Amino acid sequence: MAVIEAEHLSKRFGKKVLAVDDVSFSIEPATITGFLGPNGAGKTTTLRMLVDLVRPSGGTIRILGSRYRDLARPTTRVGALLDASGFHPGRSGANALRVVATSAGISYDRVDAALEMVELEGAARRAVKGYSTGMKQRLALAAALLGDPEVLLLDEPANGLDPEGVRWLRTFLRARAAEGRTVLISSHVLAEVEQTVDDILIISRGKLLAHGPINELTRTAQPVVRARAPQAEKLEGLLVAKGAAVNRLGDALAIRGPGSAEVGEIAHAGGLVLHELLTEQPSLEDLFLQIAGTRKES
Amino acid sequence: MSALLRAELLKLRSTRTALGMGIAAALVTILPAVLLIAFLPKSTIGGDQAPGILTAGSSLVTYILLVFGILGMTGEYRHGTITYTYLATPRRGRVIVVKLVVYALVGCVAMLLALLLANLIGVIGLPMRGVSYPAPDGAALADYARQIVTAGLITAFGVALGALFRAQVVTVAGTLIWALMIEPLIVVFKPHIGAWLPFNVFSQVISLRIGDTGSAAEGLSRPEAFLVSIGYIAAVSVLAVFISMRRDVT
Ligand SMILES: Nc1ncnc2c1ncn2[C@@H]1O[C@H](COP(=O)(O)OP(=O)(O)OP(=O)(O)O)[C@@H](O)[C@H]1O
Ligand SMILES: [Mg+2]
């Protein structure tokens, strides 16, 4: 059974903004799904709708089989780290978590455990106003983890984390998925997402553009052929004449369209020497730009 | 519900807001009482007048409690903690009801303490002027009880207004301007309407007139004023809950 199911979800803010437009997806247990899209695409709005903070204008959501507000002790089932949430600046980190724990009926042992997990024990008694950006982000992460939930919704959790923190987060999420937990994570750090997630959802201007396993999606994306040639400009001309899309930087070409064999043959036919020729599996970034980019132009 | 209650109390204890408001309430209780005892003629500070003089600051205390109630609710929006509050308790009505109850109780306790403090000043200060401290009689105690209840109501009213309007500075400023300027003007120019306006109704519940037994001059009897106060709080709270349930938290 799917852990999260959204059907024909849409959200309108006022008359002008259609933030989410008829989005349907379902997320299977024990997977990590990357939720990607340009700024203003509707990611935060969708995540907030999943936990009943934003009321959908249309469509339905089931999370763990029911509406979020019908879950008993919801924060022990679903942990959410959301953009634009915050802590009282005058309250200590530990007390901020205790408030969250108390209202959810979670024991204070979990507060200590969560603080330890995000390595914030040292600063726990200090007021939040003295925290750095990364420390606040760690505290928010600790709040999401407090209830030891089986589903994690993370809105740009890597924001402000140092490289060590980002790596920690990646191993942490992988370990959670291995335990059978489900993670939905929005992020702009595509290289990071690429190493962490199983599936991706791509959304742009409120519309869902792609959903599937990352391997399959990157496989279906056009591969990039990279070539280096002393007469790169000439080669570029020949390739473009054959209908390829070419980016040239000095003597290096990035070619979309023809395969590497074809590029080699075209060079040979033109009497041009190649110094390098290879096919690159498109990265998540290439895929993202292809999918979200075409959208923008249309 | 009890988890929510404890969470609210922890929220109060874990920042300095409550402490600061408590200090402010103590100061506005102490200063007028001390000044009046020190400078009023001896003949006017004893006997029947004593309870009124000692608690001269209590109406200021209720305004502090009003602001305290507004801050308690709007602070959640201002600092973004409302997200965590609603994540733990997606039934938003419960959150607001528990806050109303907790703040009403805190308001009652605060006024009780302010009245005790005022009487303590009387016990110590009056003999220094050579006047004996008159232990409060039945009428004075009844006045105190009404002040305590009204303090609770006004604090809860602050919470309800905060839930309705959300924006902290606007709600505090708007409410104080309404209570201290607009209502008094309406009371002067249109007394029959003024009698029914919320803060005037609250003050009619107290209607501190020593020896006065029933209706206040403004128009409502005390029981009427009490019921109308409850009506105002209920109306604003129900509206706030109704609107909060539909509002997006972004
Ligand atoms: N409370 C609101 N009122 C009006 N419009 C809003 C509100 N919240 C979001 N929007 C609009 O909805 C759209 C989607 O915003 P959202 O925050 O979901 O994007 P996002 O994908 O999270 O972007 P980012 O990557 O920048 O975080 C934007 O056009 C935004 O302006
Ligand atoms: Mg966002």
Side-chain angles (χ1 to χ4, degrees):
Chain A
M1 192 195 71
V3 172
I4 300 171
E5 274 185 290
E7 277 175 27
H8 303 295
L9 199 58
S10 53
K11 177 65 192 180
R12 214 172 251 292
F13 288 107
K15 288 225 163 62
K16 292 215 181 90
V17 184
L18 185 56
V20 176
D21 183 4
D22 194 19
V23 164
S24 301
F25 60 88
S26 71
I27 288 176
E28 297 303 315
T31 56
I32 304 183
T33 304
F35 194 14
L36 315 177
N39 292 133
K43 304 180 295 294
T44 300
T45 305
T46 304
L47 291 175
R48 284 191 169 256
M49 283 195 284
L50 294 180
V51 290
D52 270 353
L53 289 170
V54 168
R55 294 288 137 108
S57 313
T60 55
I61 294 166
R62 315 229 112 214
I63 186 160
L64 292 166
S66 73
R67 295 183 305 180
Y68 181 83
R69 60 179 169 281
D70 293 332
L71 294 172
R73 299 176 66 217
T75 42
T76 63
R77 314 276 323 269
V78 179
L81 181 161
L82 294 164
D83 220 22
S85 52
F87 299 102
H88 191 294
R91 198 172 275 140
S92 71
N95 274 334
L97 292 187
R98 285 190 189 126
V99 167
V100 176
T102 306
S103 59
I106 295 167
S107 85
Y108 283 4
D109 297 346
R110 286 289 313 162
V111 171
D112 300 333
L115 283 168
E116 204 174 306
M117 247 186 275
V118 300
E119 291 170 11
L120 216 55
E121 316 100 295
R125 299 170 71 90
R126 275 164 50 196
V128 171
K129 64 170 167 268
Y131 282 19
S132 69
T133 312
M135 288 163 80
K136 279 184 203 147
Q137 189 70 358
R138 282 166 188 260
L139 187 61
L141 203 51
L145 299 173
L146 259 190
D148 199 16
E150 59 210 82
V151 178
L152 278 171
L153 306 176
L154 307 174
D155 197 3
E156 308 196 22
N159 260 2
L161 292 189
D162 54 26
E164 213 178 312
V166 172
R167 171 180 293 184
W168 169 83
L169 182 66
R170 188 198 313 152
T171 24
F172 178 83
L173 294 180
R174 288 257 54 114
R176 296 286 85 76
E179 291 170 5
R181 295 173 211 248
T182 312
V183 182
L184 179 59
I185 170 179
S186 91
S187 179
H188 291 294
V189 193
L190 298 181
E192 191 50 47
V193 170
E194 196 163 17
Q195 297 177 57
T196 317
V197 308
D198 307 302
D199 296 341
I200 51 175
L201 276 168
I202 298 182
I203 188 175
S204 178
R205 295 179 175 189
K207 279 205 165 29
L208 189 62
L209 301 183
H211 182 200
I214 187 167
N215 299 332
E216 274 177 32
L217 286 171
T218 44
R219 205 176 318 122
T220 57
Q222 274 183 347
V224 179
V225 176
R226 296 197 186 274
R228 273 169 14 98
Q231 290 170 286
E233 219 173 318
K234 242 183 189 165
L235 181 57
E236 182 184 9
L238 293 176
L239 288 165
V240 171
K242 297 267 180 188
V246 184
N247 285 326
R248 188 176 61 84
L249 193 71
D251 67 345
L253 303 176
I255 305 143
R256 277 185 196 81
S260 56
E262 217 178 315
V263 171
E265 279 156 21
I266 289 169
H268 179 73
L272 298 174
V273 177
L274 290 178
H275 285 176
E276 194 176 300
L277 182 64
L278 57 93
T279 310
E280 213 172 57
Q281 250 325 290
S283 64
L284 181 58
E285 186 174 291
D286 295 324
L287 176 72
F288 177 79
L289 292 175
Q290 262 179 40
I291 295 180
T294 47
R295 185 73 216 162
K296 258 189 195 140
E297 287 146 23
S298 67
Chain B
M1 281 290 194
S2 87
L4 266 184
L5 238 131
R6 277 181 288 123
E8 280 307 321
L9 291 173
L10 182 56
K11 281 178 198 170
L12 285 175
R13 281 187 287 127
S14 55
T15 69
R16 298 220 179 100
T17 309
L19 182 66
M21 300 302 264
I23 290 171
L27 285 178
V28 302
T29 304
I30 293 168
L31 282 179
V34 167
L35 291 177
L36 290 176
I37 290 177
F39 296 111
L40 281 182
K42 220 167 149 178
S43 58
T44 56
I45 57 175
D48 276 0
Q49 308 293 333
I53 286 168
L54 293 175
T55 60
S58 65
S59 73
L60 278 175
V61 173
T62 52
Y63 285 111
I64 287 173
L65 288 171
L66 172 69
V67 172
F68 177 62
I70 296 174
L71 295 183
M73 192 70 225
T74 54
E76 295 247 11
Y77 290 102
R78 172 154 187 203
H79 304 301
T81 50
I82 192 73
T83 295
Y84 292 104
T85 303
Y86 284 160
L87 281 176
T89 317
R91 306 284 173 168
R92 299 180 185 177
R94 283 186 203 173
V95 170
I96 295 173
V97 167
V98 167
K99 250 201 215 295
L100 286 170
V101 171
V102 168
Y103 276 75
L105 291 176
V106 169
C108 290
V109 170
M111 185 54 87
L112 174 68
L113 293 176
L115 294 173
L116 286 173
L117 181 60
N119 278 276
L120 184 67
I121 293 164
V123 170
I124 297 167
L126 288 175
M128 289 166 74
R129 291 282 319 267
V131 178
S132 69
Y133 165 75
D137 57 6
L141 287 177
D143 274 334
Y144 290 166
R146 278 190 288 274
Q147 277 181 293
I148 290 170
V149 170
T150 307
L153 293 179
I154 286 186
T155 316
F157 194 55
V159 171
L161 290 172
L164 191 59
F165 297 119
R166 296 195 290 188
Q168 187 160 77
V169 176
V170 172
T171 311
V172 170
T175 307
L176 289 180
I177 289 170
W178 173 266
L180 299 173
M181 290 174 63
I182 299 177
E183 262 197 31
L185 283 177
I186 298 175
V187 169
V188 168
F189 292 108
K190 298 267 180 217
H192 55 288
I193 298 173
W196 293 89
L197 295 177
F199 292 98
N200 199 41
V201 171
F202 287 130
S203 71
Q204 290 175 82
V205 178
I206 309 171
S207 64
L208 265 188
R209 225 157 277 111
I210 306 301
D212 180 40
T213 44
S215 67
E218 287 87 350
L220 301 182
S221 71
R222 276 175 186 151
E224 280 168 357
F226 179 74
L227 289 178
V228 176
S229 316
I230 300 276
Y232 269 118
I233 293 167
V236 176
S237 304
V238 167
L239 190 63
V241 168
F242 184 80
I243 291 177
S244 295
M245 287 199 301
R246 273 149 200 82
R247 240 175 340 210
D248 295 325
V249 180
T250 55

